Amino acid sequence: MLLIFGLSVFFRTVSRGTFHCPNCGGDRRYRRRVARRWFTFFFVPVIPLRRLGETVECEACRTRFGVSVLRLPTVRQMTEALPAGMRAAVATVLTADGSAGDASRRRAVEAVRGYGDEEYGDEALELALVSSGHHLDDEIARAGAQLATEAKEWFLAQVVRVALADGPLSDGERQALHRVADRLGMTSAHAFGVIVMTEGAANP
């Protein structure tokens, strides 16, 4: 006996983009799809019924994931976050006392280039120095989200060396360094230890 009525699930694509596929292990194109149950007549959907949820489907391996997978940063985003974070961090420290000397500026440019922005120079640094504080904090936080504990320590140490290039740390610079550390996700005690050790290494 032929059944002409039935229930079936159909998917509708609502958006596309690029994400980090946990199955492929790299950046891939995805389709965000909504699943809905339909009443069918001769296998043709005619009446929409209950919405069943959303999935994210990798267009390369066809694996489906929950939409929370889109919160994972792509490789490109991670690559861009580190130099952007260092640009923001050195700008935060260089503006702590209202001015910065030539030695600190040169060290700041070197630090940013060391984190992947090889085109960074004096003009770009000047632009960074007039950026808003909240914007800088957000950039540092994005970089911190990509770094392991040891990498955060190294990152902060590089910023300390920028501040030390013109001489001993001022109170304003110390406060700025702790602000950078906080946005990286470090505790105050942890940051204090890194700052003191870096100072000691710079002044044997």
Side-chain angles (χ1 to χ4, degrees):
M1 177 176 159
L2 179 64
L3 294 177
I4 60 174
F5 300 103
L7 297 174
S8 295
V9 176
F10 292 88
F11 289 85
R12 179 172 62 89
T13 299
V14 293
S15 65
R16 283 183 162 86
T18 301
F19 80 134
H20 181 80
C21 176
N23 189 56
C24 295
D27 293 352
R28 300 289 186 269
R29 296 286 298 171
Y30 73 83
R31 294 189 296 173
R32 185 167 181 168
R33 312 188 76 194
V34 175
R36 183 183 291 275
R37 193 181 303 279
W38 286 73
F39 178 79
T40 60
F41 180 67
F42 279 111
F43 307 105
V44 176
V46 291
I47 301 176
L49 302 175
R50 188 164 62 94
R51 180 170 168 165
L52 302 179
E54 295 185 31
T55 63
V56 174
E57 180 182 281
C58 175
E59 293 190 0
C61 67
R62 301 299 180 186
T63 305
R64 291 175 181 168
F65 306 93
V67 294
S68 61
V69 74
L70 297 180
R71 291 199 292 267
L72 296 173
T74 64
V75 172
R76 179 178 178 180
Q77 288 170 334
M78 288 188 286
T79 301
E80 293 174 347
L82 296 181
M86 182 55 75
R87 289 194 297 268
V90 298
T92 298
V93 171
L94 292 179
T95 56
D97 290 331
S99 62
D102 291 340
S104 285
R105 287 170 180 259
R106 287 194 298 271
R107 191 62 183 261
V109 170
E110 292 173 2
V112 175
R113 289 178 177 175
Y115 271 79
D117 189 350
E118 298 179 358
E119 302 300 321
Y120 196 75
D122 294 335
E123 291 185 7
L125 176 61
E126 289 298 328
L127 290 175
L129 294 179
V130 297
S131 297
S132 63
H134 291 302
H135 169 71
L136 298 180
D137 284 351
D138 291 343
E139 294 287 3
I140 297 168
R142 274 191 284 271
Q146 319 301 329
L147 299 173
T149 299
E150 295 79 4
K152 291 179 182 180
E153 293 173 352
W154 180 255
F155 186 104
L156 179 60
Q158 297 304 308
V159 184
V160 175
R161 293 186 183 102
V162 169
L164 286 170
D166 281 334
L169 298 178
S170 67
D171 290 341
E173 288 172 331
R174 290 185 189 279
Q175 292 176 6
L177 289 169
H178 277 280
R179 176 180 168 184
V180 170
D182 178 68
R183 299 307 293 161
L184 288 172
M186 301 172 66
T187 66
S188 180
H190 192 182
F192 178 80
V194 172
I195 293 169
V196 169
M197 288 183 64
T198 308
E199 281 184 291
N203 301 287

